[in-house]
């Protein structure tokens, strides 16, 4: 599988979220590539018919000097991640997302000079739709989808890229977590090229990373903070309803350029499920990625890791009151090695 395909589709892209993933507001994210001609392609994005804003794919390939997007062997340098706030009075679980090129330009027949957009993914509050779920609609009549690998092609302003809400609707924003881990930089931050990540840390006899970190004491004195240690909860005696845990589990174990769960990582997740037992807590899985690559690719890895972990937790029998997955993009906050930053943080709260 190509690096680009792995980046865009390796798992469901649910949210390449920016810092503030724990805030109450809704957020929409886009992954878009572009072709530039006498300036970058610009786009407008709407949610449920309301304009959220505009953006410019400044990383777009310059068709006058560097060729065409379709011909580029590695397309990731010409792809960017964008984030937009969705006002509370605009958000609807069934809202439709539309993206439209607003500054079409073409050099004429026989010319390679052109401005185009290439839409790869749309995410709202941690739930994503990739190219297989996107479609094009003309402003005057419907039109057939034009695809380029993992991208939906938008050639002019008469055609919009459309993402309808996925089955079950867009998730609500999560505002219930008392505190979040230190925020990573926004996924739109430019990331400098870095050296190849070092080899994976050899497997150890002990399970992968993982101390459970206690959340700060909440402001209200009538809500005590749980003091149970990581191994203290006994599934046989845990509460069958409600939750008395306030913890962050840091879990590492992803291989380089991969969102697959390793055996050691799955073993650790099984421990966490047993730790929580039958309690129905609010659970948020936040994925992180190292800075070893293009920022848009890292954003995708972050959310894909979170979604894969969440799917495993559910399959392993995790009980929950509310559960969601999101991503915080590339970071260095957990250490100075690429390995240290390839992780998820599982937040558990009453």
């Amino acid at each position: 599988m190509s690096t680009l395909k792995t980046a865009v589709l390796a798992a469901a892209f649910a949210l390449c979220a920016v810092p503030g993933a724990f805030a109450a507001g809704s957020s929409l994210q886009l992954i878009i590539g572009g072709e530039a001609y006498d300036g970058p392609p610009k786009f407008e994005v709407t949610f449920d018919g309301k304009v959220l804003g505009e953006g410019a794919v400044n990383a777009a390939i310059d068709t006058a000097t560097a060729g065409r997007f379709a011909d580029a062997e590695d397309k990731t340098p010409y792809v960017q991640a964008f984030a937009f706030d969705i006002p509370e009075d605009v958000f609807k679980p069934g809202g439709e997302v539309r993206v439209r090129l607003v500054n079409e330009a073409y050099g004429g027949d026989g010319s390679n000079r052109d401005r185009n957009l290439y839409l790869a993914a749309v995410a709202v509050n941690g739930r994503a739709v990739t190219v297989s779920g996107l479609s094009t609609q003309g402003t005057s009549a419907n039109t057939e989808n034009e695809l380029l690998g993992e991208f939906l092609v938008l050639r002019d302003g008469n055609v919009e890229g459309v993402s309808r809400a996925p089955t079950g609707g867009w998730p609500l924003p999560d505002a219930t977590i008392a505190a979040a881990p230190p925020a990573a930089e926004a996924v739109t931050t430019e990331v400098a090229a870095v050296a190849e990540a070092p080899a994976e840390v050899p497997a150890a006899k002990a399970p992968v990373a993982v101390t459970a970190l206690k959340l700060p004491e909440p402001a209200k004195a009538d809500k005590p903070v749980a003091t149970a240690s990581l191994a203290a909860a006994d599934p046989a005696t845990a509460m069958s309803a409600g939750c008395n845990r306030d913890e962050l589990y840091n879990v590492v174990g992803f291989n380089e350029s991969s969102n697959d769960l390793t055996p050691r990582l799955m073993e650790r997740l099984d421990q966490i499920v047993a730790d929580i037992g039958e309690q129905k807590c609010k659970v948020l899985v936040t994925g992180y990625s190292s800075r070893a690559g293009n920022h848009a690719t890292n954003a995708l890895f972050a959310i894909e890791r979170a979604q894969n972990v969440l799917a495993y937790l559910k399959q392993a029998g995790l009980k929950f009151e509310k559960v969601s997955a999101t991503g915080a993009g590339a970071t260095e906050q957990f250490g100075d090695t690429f390995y240290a930053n390839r992780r998820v943080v599982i937040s558990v709260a009453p």
Side-chain angles (χ1 to χ4, degrees), residues 4-251:
L4 180 62
K5 188 169 184 178
T6 299
V8 178
L9 290 177
F13 160 48
L15 150 62
C16 38
V18 295
F22 290 75
S26 292
S27 179
L28 179 147
Q29 292 79 29
L30 304 173
I31 299 293
I32 306 181
E35 289 183 324
Y37 165 45
D38 193 25
K42 297 180 181 180
F43 64 89
E44 176 185 81
V45 58
T46 62
F47 183 86
D48 197 41
K50 309 297 192 300
V51 176
L52 299 184
E54 293 188 351
V57 186
N58 294 312
I61 187 170
D62 188 343
T63 57
T65 60
R68 304 303 298 266
F69 187 83
D71 299 328
E73 183 175 350
D74 180 9
K75 295 177 174 56
T76 54
Y78 313 116
V79 178
Q80 284 183 248
F82 298 86
F84 297 87
D85 293 329
I86 304 176
E88 185 176 356
D89 61 344
V90 172
F91 175 78
K92 294 180 180 178
E96 188 176 77
V97 178
R98 289 180 175 249
V99 178
R100 182 174 64 91
L101 177 67
V102 297
N103 65 337
E104 157 63 6
Y106 178 48
D109 293 341
S111 168
N112 267 337
R113 302 183 179 189
D114 203 354
R115 281 197 201 125
N116 294 305
L117 291 175
Y118 298 86
L119 180 61
V122 174
V124 176
N125 290 338
R127 182 75 184 273
V129 174
T130 50
V131 67
S132 61
L134 302 176
S135 64
T136 50
Q137 291 189 9
T139 54
S140 58
N142 289 343
T143 182
E144 290 186 8
N145 291 358
E146 181 181 353
L147 303 180
L148 175 64
E150 316 311 322
F151 298 89
L152 181 72
V153 182
L154 303 177
R155 294 198 180 277
D156 60 51
N158 296 317
V159 175
E160 296 177 318
V162 179
S163 173
R164 293 184 174 86
T167 302
W170 303 114
L172 296 172
D174 188 281
T176 60
I177 304 300
E185 290 191 16
V187 295
T188 50
T189 301
E190 295 296 331
V191 177
V194 292
E196 205 53 37
E200 198 63 31
V201 174
K205 291 183 180 179
V208 156
V210 272
T211 327
L213 305 178
K214 299 295 180 183
L215 292 174
E217 185 174 352
K220 293 183 179 180
D222 60 351
K223 183 183 177 185
V225 176
T227 57
S229 66
L230 178 64
D234 182 356
T237 59
M239 294 163 36
S240 59
C243 177
N244 64 2
R245 308 193 73 87
D246 275 295
E247 292 173 327
L248 297 179
Y249 295 97
N250 275 282
V251 183

